[in-house]
Amino acid sequence: MIETVGTWIAAFLTLCILSFLYKDNPFYKFAEHLFVGISAAYWAVYEYFNVLRPNLIQPLFGEGQFLFIIPLVLGIMMLTRLLARVGWVSRWPLAFIVGTYAGYNLIAYLQSNAVEQVRATLVPFIQVESWQTFFGNPGAITFLTAIAVPVVVVGVITGIIYFFFSKEHTGIFGRSARIGIWFLMIAFGASFGYTVMARISLLIGRVYFLLHDWLHVI
Amino acid sequence: MKKQIPIIITFIAGMVMILQYFIPHRPFSDIQQLFNTWYVIIAVFAMILGLGNLLKIHAIRLQRRPKGWWYSIVLLLGFAVMFIAGMGWGIERGSLFDFLFWNTHLPMSSTMFALLAFFVASASYRAFRARTSEATLLLVSAILVMVGRVPLGNYIWDKLPLLGDWIMSYPNMAGQRAIMIGIALGVVSTSLRIILGIERTYLGGK
Amino acid sequence: MNIVERLEAIDRRIIFVLILLAVVLPLLFPIGFKIIVSEPVQGFYDAIEELAPGSVVLISSEYDPATMPEVYPMNQALTRHCFARDLRIIGMGLWPQGIPLNQASMEQAAEEYGKEYGVDYINLGYKVGGIVVISAAAENIPTTFPQDYAGRPIEEFEIMEGIKNFDNVDLIVSLSAGDPGTRQWVMIAQGRYGKKVASGVTAVSAPAFYPYLNSGQLEGLIGGMKGAAEYETLIEESGLGTQGMDAQSIAHGVIIFFIILANVFYIIGKRRKK
């Protein structure tokens, strides 16, 4: 019984949001505002049960670990941002957050997203085995396999050249940047294709709920 | 004083996080763990700040009563019901909070994003034009991936899935890697500027 | 207005109806397209298959209801796969909405395979902080997560015996819809601590993670609902991923038709102006 009530509530709210496709209307606005309120409360409750209580309240007040007064005080200082006159006090905890995050990001991005990516690109330009396979068995697939590594190396280098704006894009440098744009366009096209796929999947999920869970027609 | 101390705090926090990468022994590892714990707690208060701001805005709307003010009642009531359900009866599976999550939050959140399917279709029809050679390349790549990555592609041409996979694994990957390296260098330089106190916009105000 | 101009200026609500039909009709009347498995998903599957029974898999759920149709089928298939191979699961999340979704997935699979909460799987809950949480957990899981998602001390649970940090975890799987998510897991868990990381992501973010696959920083990658369908095929189970593929195919066909038609009109229009 309770499940059926829940399903009907879910279906009603789903249709309220979908009604926006016709035009903006009070049902949509009602659902939109309800969503914001419920989401905000969801976050607040989870922050309390999963973070504040086990990581602050329990150690500080339950176990007497008084060092936790420092993050408590810094946290309360953060809240002063709501008050215009003493809002500057929130800079201290904000500085701590920003500094910690910047410190992590500096090394992590450099290691994983720069150095490691360059390392992975430094592979033999001519893959002898792949070309031998192609000449032994010429075909579209064996050809694509043979040129895969050169495509990657050329694509990465020219793509990075394109992003270098400190030098004018003329001559050989400009032509390389142009090739870089082509690779970026292929990447953006692939991203667009996947984005379309993602959005359609989300719609399939909702329609499946309406047809299967609510109307029981599939 | 109002800006100097925060800049010093940023420097210390940033440098501790960098140093512990290279010296993962005590005392740096202990300080790192301490800072990690404090970060998690302080970040919660940043969330509370955002929440407080939201409730403040809608409470003001109730006072001033501009057009559509009654929707703020919906928002605040929704917040109150969900908050009381969670704080009063817990968040375990089967609780009232859990029921509200699955039957109100979930369908609305899912449907909001499902709307995008319609808009992406409409935008594809109305705006996606092969005006330049680059746009044509983007379009061709998108179509090959869209067809190659669904089961239908296999029925049109049995090599299409392989072609789609090849585009994703090589030319797409090359473009994405170039972007990734570019972003990484940008993040590194911005992080360094923040830690050294050159970049101060995050402090805001005077 | 001639027919080309009329079709170009068509009311978008007609396009909406056509897309809706492209999704509804294949769900009502399934076609049964065959699903071909791609290398990234095979890599993900192999990463689980390589683990010995009793190994610990950390599943981090950083997705929400908005991306549930893509990631939840992956979550379900993954928990089933893990329990079928007698692997132990530690759940956690960097997004709060992912916690009940992962919990529901684990409970459903646990019922099917006779697994018990606290013995075979546990949900440590959510922490705010992204990259900082990963770093903290990598050094000390009990300090970072002293209680499970429902507020019970983790010392009470048998599965947490001997689990101190990432040294005691055999594989990390990030089910991610954005930031913080897979990127942070690769940067810290794989980059700094050398742990094996596999990922299931939404289709929107999948293209951006191919560099990690190519460099070996990711063991495998499941992208979107299609990826979920491929994974379901590998574990020989049918879920929403598989069931949605017919609708996905037809809808893609409709959108490609729109794009080609619009460009044909564009070319005709350009020639007329000349």
Side-chain angles (χ1 to χ4, degrees):
Chain A
M1 172 67 184
I2 194 87
E3 247 186 68
T4 309
V5 169
T7 304
W8 276 84
I9 293 171
F12 169 70
L13 293 170
T14 299
L15 294 171
C16 282
I17 303 276
L18 285 175
S19 68
F20 182 77
L21 292 168
Y22 183 68
K23 61 176 181 174
D24 198 1
N25 61 81
F27 285 102
Y28 172 76
K29 283 204 171 66
F30 162 78
E32 185 188 41
H33 282 77
L34 183 66
F35 172 58
V36 173
I38 284 182
S39 295
Y42 181 89
W43 275 82
V45 170
Y46 253 86
E47 297 294 353
Y48 173 76
F49 278 103
N50 275 208
V51 188
L52 273 182
R53 198 171 74 170
N55 291 78
L56 177 65
I57 294 170
Q58 179 59 22
L60 179 59
F61 300 111
E63 294 164 17
Q65 294 182 44
F66 293 112
L67 198 59
F68 280 85
I69 284 176
I70 299 172
L72 174 63
V73 167
L74 286 171
I76 292 167
M77 284 166 76
M78 181 75 92
L79 297 178
T80 62
R81 206 165 181 83
L82 286 169
L83 309 162
R85 282 189 70 184
V86 289
W88 64 269
V89 170
S90 66
R91 285 179 186 157
W92 288 33
L94 193 62
F96 177 79
I97 295 276
V98 169
T100 307
Y101 205 71
Y104 268 118
N105 275 348
L106 196 155
I107 303 293
Y109 268 87
L110 189 61
Q111 181 181 12
S112 295
N113 289 16
V115 171
E116 200 53 38
Q117 296 305 314
V118 169
R119 182 204 64 77
T121 312
L122 293 172
V123 290
F125 195 79
I126 308 288
Q127 298 280 303
V128 175
E129 266 185 45
S130 303
W131 282 105
Q132 281 173 344
T133 309
F134 167 66
F135 287 120
N137 182 22
I141 300 302
T142 47
F143 177 69
L144 288 176
T145 309
I147 64 166
V149 170
V151 160
V152 167
V153 173
V154 168
V156 173
I157 292 171
T158 55
I160 291 172
I161 285 174
Y162 170 73
F163 286 122
F164 192 73
F165 296 117
S166 304
K167 180 176 162 39
E168 214 181 319
H169 287 187
T170 53
I172 293 175
F173 192 79
R175 281 195 285 275
S176 305
R178 194 120 183 91
I179 296 171
I181 291 175
W182 296 344
F183 277 93
L184 292 170
M185 287 299 120
I186 295 174
F188 294 148
S191 292
F192 175 77
Y194 263 69
T195 301
V196 168
M197 187 159 91
R199 303 299 175 223
I200 297 293
S201 300
L202 302 184
L203 178 61
I204 291 170
R206 276 294 92 198
V207 170
Y208 183 85
F209 161 76
L210 290 172
L211 296 178
H212 178 265
D213 297 355
W214 182 44
L215 296 172
H216 304 293
V217 293
I218 54 169
Chain B
M1 171 75 173
K2 281 185 182 180
K3 271 197 170 175
Q4 295 306 319
I5 293 182
I7 289 169
I8 293 168
I9 293 173
T10 304
F11 178 78
I12 293 171
M15 285 311 295
V16 164
M17 291 307 147
I18 292 170
L19 279 169
Q20 56 82 24
Y21 255 97
F22 301 103
I23 316 172
H25 309 293
R26 307 179 90 169
F28 293 102
S29 57
D30 290 346
I31 300 172
Q32 181 219 356
Q33 270 299 93
L34 193 69
F35 279 20
N36 285 343
T37 312
W38 290 1
Y39 181 101
V40 170
I41 295 166
I42 297 167
V44 173
F45 285 90
M47 299 286 176
I48 295 172
L49 188 64
L51 185 67
N53 211 32
L54 175 76
L55 296 176
K56 186 176 147 186
I57 288 168
H58 285 274
I60 290 169
R61 279 176 66 86
L62 282 187
Q63 282 178 344
R64 292 193 185 151
R65 307 210 171 176
K67 190 174 169 212
W69 66 272
W70 47 89
Y71 291 114
S72 294
I73 300 177
V74 172
L75 189 148
L76 292 168
L77 261 178
F79 179 89
V81 167
M82 191 74 165
F83 190 77
I84 292 166
M87 298 303 278
W89 290 278
I91 61 172
E92 268 190 67
R93 286 270 288 158
S95 63
L96 175 60
F97 181 84
D98 192 61
F99 174 85
L100 289 172
F101 169 76
W102 285 92
N103 297 296
T104 61
H105 182 271
L106 192 146
M108 288 193 287
S109 179
S110 301
T111 315
M112 285 278 184
F113 278 77
L115 289 179
L116 294 170
F118 298 100
F119 298 127
V120 86
S122 171
S124 299
Y125 180 71
R126 284 156 174 263
F128 204 166
R129 300 285 186 270
R131 290 181 212 280
T132 61
S133 52
E134 287 89 358
T136 309
L137 191 55
L138 195 153
L139 204 147
V140 168
S141 167
I143 289 174
L144 284 173
V145 166
M146 270 197 275
V147 176
R149 290 295 294 142
V150 287
L152 179 68
N154 191 46
Y155 291 85
I156 296 172
W157 180 35
D158 63 350
K159 299 279 186 278
L160 212 44
L162 282 168
L163 182 61
D165 283 347
W166 186 87
I167 290 173
M168 291 306 297
S169 301
Y170 299 109
N172 160 71
M173 193 277 292
Q176 298 286 355
R177 180 168 278 169
I179 293 168
M180 193 183 263
I181 293 170
I183 291 173
L185 296 175
V187 166
V188 166
S189 82
T190 305
S191 299
L192 201 54
R193 286 165 57 86
I194 288 171
I195 291 168
L196 294 177
I198 303 165
E199 180 67 54
R200 300 175 191 188
T201 48
Y202 65 93
L203 293 173
K206 292 176 190 170
Chain C
M1 250 193 184
N2 62 35
I3 183 127
V4 168
E5 282 163 356
R6 271 203 203 141
L7 283 171
E8 272 196 296
I10 201 170
D11 188 331
R12 65 180 190 169
R13 287 174 289 195
I14 295 173
I15 298 173
F16 294 167
V17 168
L18 290 171
I19 284 295
L20 188 62
L21 287 172
V23 167
V24 167
L25 291 176
L27 283 173
L28 289 173
F29 309 107
I31 303 162
F33 286 127
K34 189 177 158 219
I35 293 163
I36 312 280
V37 178
S38 61
E39 251 186 67
V41 177
Q42 185 68 52
F44 186 103
Y45 175 82
D46 292 342
I48 303 285
E49 285 287 303
E50 276 162 15
L51 298 172
S55 299
V56 175
V57 177
L58 179 77
I59 298 178
S60 184
S61 50
E62 26 270 9
Y63 68 103
D64 58 0
T67 48
M68 197 177 155
E70 294 188 89
V71 188
Y72 192 62
M74 294 176 203
N75 204 159
Q76 288 180 306
L78 173 62
T79 46
R80 286 199 179 105
H81 193 191
C82 287
F83 285 150
R85 294 193 49 74
D86 289 323
L87 306 176
R88 293 182 288 161
I89 298 176
I90 297 177
M92 59 163 278
L94 302 176
W95 292 25
Q97 300 98 320
I99 303 304
L101 298 173
N102 194 18
Q103 181 65 21
S105 172
M106 290 194 292
E107 277 185 9
Q108 200 174 15
E111 210 181 293
E112 287 168 30
Y113 288 92
K115 301 294 181 184
E116 196 185 324
Y117 187 87
V119 176
D120 304 295
Y121 72 104
I122 190 170
N123 191 339
L124 298 179
Y126 154 75
K127 291 282 177 264
V128 62
I131 201 170
V132 176
V133 173
I134 298 170
S135 183
E139 295 288 339
N140 197 323
I141 294 176
T143 302
T144 313
F145 294 94
Q147 296 172 2
D148 79 339
Y149 83 104
R152 298 166 289 211
I154 60 165
E155 303 88 58
E156 287 177 15
F157 299 106
E158 189 184 310
I159 188 176
M160 294 305 294
E161 280 169 27
I163 304 289
K164 175 118 186 357
N165 52 39
F166 281 3
D167 286 345
N168 311 115
V169 171
D170 299 289
L171 176 70
I172 293 167
V173 178
S174 166
L175 298 172
S176 162
D179 262 14
T182 297
R183 194 179 306 282
Q184 285 70 21
W185 280 105
V186 168
M187 290 199 296
I188 300 292
Q190 196 281 329
R192 185 157 183 217
Y193 294 93
K195 300 306 298 182
K196 286 190 177 177
V197 177
S199 179
V201 298
T202 58
V204 170
S205 42
F209 293 123
Y210 271 77
Y212 287 150
L213 262 181
N214 177 268
S215 63
Q217 289 165 291
L218 273 178
E219 300 295 308
L221 181 70
I222 304 178
M225 193 187 251
K226 169 68 174 18
E230 292 174 30
Y231 190 41
E232 286 168 4
T233 303
L234 284 169
I235 64 165
E236 294 167 5
E237 301 253 1
S238 176
L240 177 61
T242 308
Q243 288 170 56
M245 279 303 101
D246 294 342
Q248 189 90 57
S249 296
I250 302 299
H252 276 212
V254 168
I255 290 182
I256 290 167
F257 172 73
F258 284 153
I259 292 173
I260 293 172
L261 189 68
N263 279 280
V264 164
F265 292 155
Y266 170 68
I267 292 166
I268 292 173
K270 255 179 83 172
R271 286 208 179 135
R272 280 213 178 124
K273 278 181 192 160
K274 277 184 188 168

